[in-house]
């Protein structure tokens, strides 16, 4: 009886096809991706049947945390003469001007601080601490320190997170949030001013479980400075 | 595929080179690609958020009282959103983690024509016309019909005239009454004509339309505000506004809760 010979087969698997597919997928994701902006707080926007898409440019996002803290993010039309950097610089000038009109303790920013501000993503610290905050940019691990301050994970108890906001219906004694919003309209960026007038320029982003009290305060603040039209950021509702 | 065969010149010659196979192992390449894909998948946002536009009335004091547009008591529907409570704390949906909200509503003036407050500010429970409802999605029966429930049903009943007209033009649209639905361009044109017709119906002064006043208690969630604004859109309500709670509203809710032992 002859022994049956089993041919030895190579276990080498050809990975070329697999590699082709993964490269294709990778290309797809690289081209379609827009990176998640790092935000000081994570919120889940409420579901809605509205199918209006969010604006790509010319709007200011007002991020509201469930505790009632407020941060701003600028989204400017980079194709026009107003880049994000230029807009932020103009905004900082304007807001300090408005602030100094009504406060004895004046705020002033040097060139380095202004340039640091121009590079910020979201921002939200009281104006009195803004200088100290912007100085962090030149330090070692400055970005991490700034992020920590913005998200309220800072160890320093003196560092206040969020733009100060409170109930206020008096146009003559604006709070800092109202000053920022007013300053936005007064920078000579016509595109943004028009968008704010149309109601697409201000987008409020808040968590689905944030209490109405806090949203109401933000809405009331905007109403006081005659910004009666704005949008809520929502997520698409499944079904219905 | 990933191999190159080298053919030696003439076979059997002296000093002929050995046949050699060059294989390139792509496994590490695939590993790396997978890692990169994972990174990009986790770091991207595919879905753009939607927006909901709202316009608030100007809060400047109106000097001339005659200029104020008063909703007639007949048309007014007041909806008050409140968060549901469960033994002191807010009730949270076990599935999606959202705060569960409920709605109170009344038609016309608080307490009806007689009002809710008696002499000396006493509360007249017998006049309390507040009722309670919930946010509920449509019930779909075996025949595929949508049956509105909860607050949506109540709004739909009040807005019957407009919704009937809207249903008519919806049918017309489906049958091609606003132009053919064959190509994409045709559909867009028909959709535009439909939107125009729908907007005219919503503005038609001859139809009886409710004016919805949306109020909210402080503890109600932002999600419920968006939800009630959605209901306005779903039910084609053209006139609605967000307003502040009044003392009568709070009193009526407390009175309702007391009577129903909540």
């Amino acid at each position: 009886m002859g022994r049956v010979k089993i041919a030895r087969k190579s276990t080498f698997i050809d990975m070329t096809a697999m590699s082709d597919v993964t490269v294709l997928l990778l290309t797809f994701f690289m081209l379609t991706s827009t990176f998640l902006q790092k935000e000081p707080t994570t919120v889940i926007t409420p579901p809605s049947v509205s199918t209006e898409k969010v604006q790509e440019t010319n709007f200011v996002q007002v991020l509201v945390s469930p505790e009632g803290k407020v941060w701003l993010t600028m989204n400017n039309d980079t194709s026009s003469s107003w880049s994000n950097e230029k807009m932020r610089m103009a905004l900082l000038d304007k807001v300090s001007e408005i602030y100094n009109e009504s406060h004895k303790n004046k705020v002033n920013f040097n060139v380095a601080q202004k340039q640091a501000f121009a590079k910020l993503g979201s921002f939200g610290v009281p104006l009195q601490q803004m200088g100290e905050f912007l100085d962090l940019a030149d330090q070692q691990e400055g970005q991490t320190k700034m992020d920590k301050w913005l998200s309220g994970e800072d160890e320093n108890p003196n560092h206040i997170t969020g733009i100060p906001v409170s109930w206020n219906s008096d146009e003559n004694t604006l709070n800092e949030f109202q000053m920022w919003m007013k300053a936005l309209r007064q920078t000579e960026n016509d595109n943004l001013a028009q968008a704010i007038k149309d109601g697409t320029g201000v987008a409020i982003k808040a968590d689905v479980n944030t209490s109405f009290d806090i949203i109401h305060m933000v809405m009331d603040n905007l109403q006081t400075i005659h910004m009666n039209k704005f949008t809520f950021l929502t997520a698409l509702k499944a079904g219905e | 595929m990933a191999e190159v065969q080298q053919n030696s010149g003439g076979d059997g010659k002296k000093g002929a080179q050995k046949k050699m196979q060059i294989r390139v192992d792509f496994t590490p390449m695939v590993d790396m690609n997978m890692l990169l894909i994972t990174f990009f998948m986790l770091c991207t946002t595919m879905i753009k958020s939607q927006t909901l536009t709202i316009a608030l009335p100007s809060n400047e004091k109106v000097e001339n009282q005659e200029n104020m547009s008063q909703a007639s008591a007949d048309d007014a529907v007041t909806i008050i959103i409140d968060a549901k409570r469960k033994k002191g704390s807010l009730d949270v949906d076990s599935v999606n983690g959202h705060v569960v909200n409920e709605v109170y509503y009344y038609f016309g003036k608080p307490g009806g024509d007689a009002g809710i407050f008696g002499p000396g500010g006493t509360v007249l429970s017998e006049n309390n016309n507040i009722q309670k409802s919930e946010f509920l999605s449509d019930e779909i029966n075996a025949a595929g019909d949508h049956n509105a429930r909860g607050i949506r049903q109540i709004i739909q009943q009040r807005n019957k005239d407009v919704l009937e007209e809207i249903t008519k033009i919806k049918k017309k649209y489906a049958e091609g009454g606003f132009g053919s639905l064959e190509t994409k361009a045709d559909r867009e044109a028909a959709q535009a004509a439909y939107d125009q017709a729908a907007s005219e119906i919503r503005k038609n002064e001859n139809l009886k339309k409710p004016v919805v006043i949306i109020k909210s208690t402080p503890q109600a969630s932002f999600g419920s505000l968006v939800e009630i604004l959605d209901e306005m859109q779903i039910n084609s309500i053209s006139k609605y506004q967000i307003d502040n709670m009044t003392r009568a509203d709070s009193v009526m809710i407390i009175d309702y809760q007391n009577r129903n032992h909540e």
Side-chain angles (χ1 to χ4, degrees):
Chain A
M1 265 177 61
R3 288 231 316 262
V4 180
K5 269 191 181 172
I6 302 168
R8 271 195 196 166
K9 273 184 185 167
S10 158
T11 50
F12 191 89
I13 302 167
D14 190 5
M15 280 286 174
T16 330
M18 179 82 164
S19 162
D20 288 352
V21 173
T22 51
V23 171
L24 270 181
L25 271 172
L26 186 59
T27 320
F28 169 74
F29 277 106
M30 275 175 73
L31 293 181
T32 53
S33 67
T34 42
F35 280 97
L36 279 175
Q37 290 272 343
K38 188 173 166 24
E39 290 189 327
T41 179
T42 317
V43 298
I44 301 161
T45 51
S48 157
V49 293
S50 174
T51 49
E52 256 178 86
K53 287 267 180 267
V54 68
Q55 298 278 314
E56 300 213 333
T57 50
N58 286 327
F59 77 96
V60 182
Q61 181 184 297
V62 183
L63 180 69
V64 184
S65 82
E67 297 84 41
K69 293 195 191 312
V70 172
W71 297 266
L72 296 179
T73 315
M74 317 277 306
N75 292 277
N76 282 293
D77 191 353
T78 38
S79 63
S80 79
S81 56
W82 285 91
S83 66
N84 276 327
E85 278 78 26
K86 191 181 167 197
M87 180 66 203
R88 285 207 201 93
M89 277 195 178
L91 178 67
L92 191 63
D93 283 341
K94 202 82 210 171
V95 80
S96 40
E97 192 183 300
I98 298 175
Y99 184 84
N100 289 345
E101 273 171 21
S102 55
H103 288 76
K104 267 191 215 153
N105 215 343
K106 303 217 184 303
V107 288
N108 282 303
F109 301 101
N110 59 36
V111 180
Q113 287 172 332
K114 278 180 194 169
Q115 267 160 1
F117 186 76
K119 292 193 188 89
L120 283 182
S122 306
F123 54 90
V125 292
L127 275 169
Q128 285 295 345
Q129 297 188 349
M130 185 60 101
E132 192 190 334
F133 175 74
L134 293 174
D135 284 339
L136 284 177
D138 293 332
Q139 289 180 21
Q140 253 188 341
E141 289 178 27
Q143 192 57 48
T144 323
K145 282 181 190 163
M146 284 162 104
D147 284 346
K148 270 193 173 172
W149 186 337
L150 280 181
S151 54
E153 288 156 8
D154 207 312
E155 286 91 35
N156 190 337
N158 294 329
H159 289 176
I160 298 168
T161 302
I163 296 171
V165 56
S166 57
W167 283 98
N168 172 35
S169 308
D170 186 356
E171 231 188 305
N172 300 317
T173 56
L174 296 179
N175 62 38
E176 283 189 33
F177 171 64
Q178 287 169 321
M179 286 179 192
W180 280 103
M181 299 310 283
K182 200 176 164 188
L184 277 173
R185 256 195 323 205
Q186 290 179 0
T187 55
E188 285 144 18
N189 185 347
D190 293 335
N191 293 336
L192 184 66
Q194 185 60 40
I196 290 176
K197 208 175 160 194
D198 294 342
T200 56
V202 181
I204 297 178
K205 185 176 183 180
D207 191 84
V208 56
N209 284 347
T210 304
S211 72
F212 177 75
D213 201 27
I214 283 158
I215 302 298
H216 196 188
M217 175 177 76
V218 174
M219 293 201 300
D220 191 74
N221 268 300
L222 291 172
Q223 245 181 321
T224 305
I225 53 166
H226 311 293
M227 282 191 189
N228 293 322
K229 277 176 101 178
F230 40 82
T231 58
F232 291 142
L233 286 187
T234 57
L236 195 62
K237 198 179 214 167
E240 299 210 39
Chain B
M1 268 195 258
E3 56 210 76
V4 178
Q5 284 197 338
Q6 267 188 354
N7 250 333
S8 54
D11 272 322
K13 266 187 191 170
K14 230 188 174 184
Q17 273 187 312
K18 266 188 191 172
K19 250 190 189 178
M20 241 180 51
Q21 270 200 339
I22 304 169
R23 284 191 172 203
V24 184
D25 190 1
F26 270 91
T27 326
M29 170 89 163
V30 171
D31 288 352
M32 186 202 65
N33 280 347
M34 283 295 187
L35 275 180
L36 279 172
I37 289 178
T38 320
F39 169 75
F40 275 101
M41 274 175 72
L42 294 180
C43 291
T44 54
T45 37
M46 284 290 183
I47 310 158
K48 275 182 79 181
S49 354
Q50 264 71 31
T51 59
L52 184 73
T53 311
I54 60 161
L56 295 176
S58 160
N59 64 352
E60 282 170 79
K61 291 274 176 294
V62 180
E63 298 286 319
N64 193 344
Q65 286 290 318
E66 282 167 24
N67 288 347
M68 270 172 70
S69 57
Q70 283 278 0
S72 76
D74 252 10
D75 298 334
V77 181
T78 306
I79 296 178
I80 305 165
I81 322 163
D82 192 13
K84 199 170 184 174
R85 283 166 188 287
K86 208 161 74 179
K87 285 180 191 159
S89 64
L90 298 179
D91 193 1
V92 174
D93 191 311
S94 56
V95 181
N96 58 15
H98 296 179
V99 172
V100 180
N101 291 285
E102 50 192 14
V103 274
Y104 293 94
Y105 64 93
Y106 61 84
F107 304 125
K109 289 181 188 158
D113 285 332
I116 186 73
F117 295 114
T122 52
V123 180
L124 302 170
S125 288
E126 66 275 16
N127 286 348
N128 193 345
N129 55 354
I130 209 162
Q131 282 161 292
K132 194 167 143 187
S133 185
E134 276 175 287
F135 287 112
L136 288 173
S137 56
D138 287 355
E139 189 181 51
I140 303 168
N141 65 16
D145 296 326
H146 285 250
N147 286 321
R149 295 183 297 169
I151 190 72
R152 188 175 302 169
Q153 190 188 17
I154 290 141
I155 300 171
Q156 282 188 359
Q157 277 165 5
R158 302 295 290 193
N159 202 24
K160 225 187 286 163
D161 289 5
V162 173
L163 287 171
E164 267 170 19
E165 293 295 317
I166 297 265
T167 317
K168 270 185 213 162
I169 65 160
K170 252 188 198 155
K171 211 176 154 206
K172 192 176 157 194
Y173 173 81
E175 287 165 354
F178 287 104
S180 111
L181 303 172
E182 299 269 314
T183 66
K184 200 181 170 219
D186 283 348
R187 269 199 302 276
E188 272 167 17
Q191 181 71 43
Y194 167 81
D195 288 345
Q196 171 75 19
S199 130
E200 267 165 31
I201 290 172
R202 279 196 289 268
K203 281 182 197 149
N204 191 341
E205 292 296 325
N206 298 325
L207 296 171
K208 188 173 155 49
K209 285 180 302 225
V211 176
V212 181
I213 300 151
I214 300 167
K215 298 179 181 186
S216 176
T217 58
Q219 64 271 21
S221 75
F222 175 51
S224 67
L225 179 69
V226 171
E227 212 163 342
I228 197 77
L229 291 170
D230 269 357
E231 293 295 335
M232 299 297 114
Q233 206 174 336
I234 293 169
N235 299 313
S236 300
I237 303 277
S238 49
K239 287 182 184 170
Y240 59 88
Q241 64 181 72
I242 301 172
D243 209 345
N244 296 337
M245 292 265 288
T246 61
R247 182 164 163 253
D249 296 327
S250 325
V251 160
M252 275 160 68
I253 290 177
I254 293 167
D255 184 52
Y256 180 93
Q257 285 171 342
N258 285 345
R259 277 187 291 132
N260 293 282
H261 309 289
E262 284 184 9

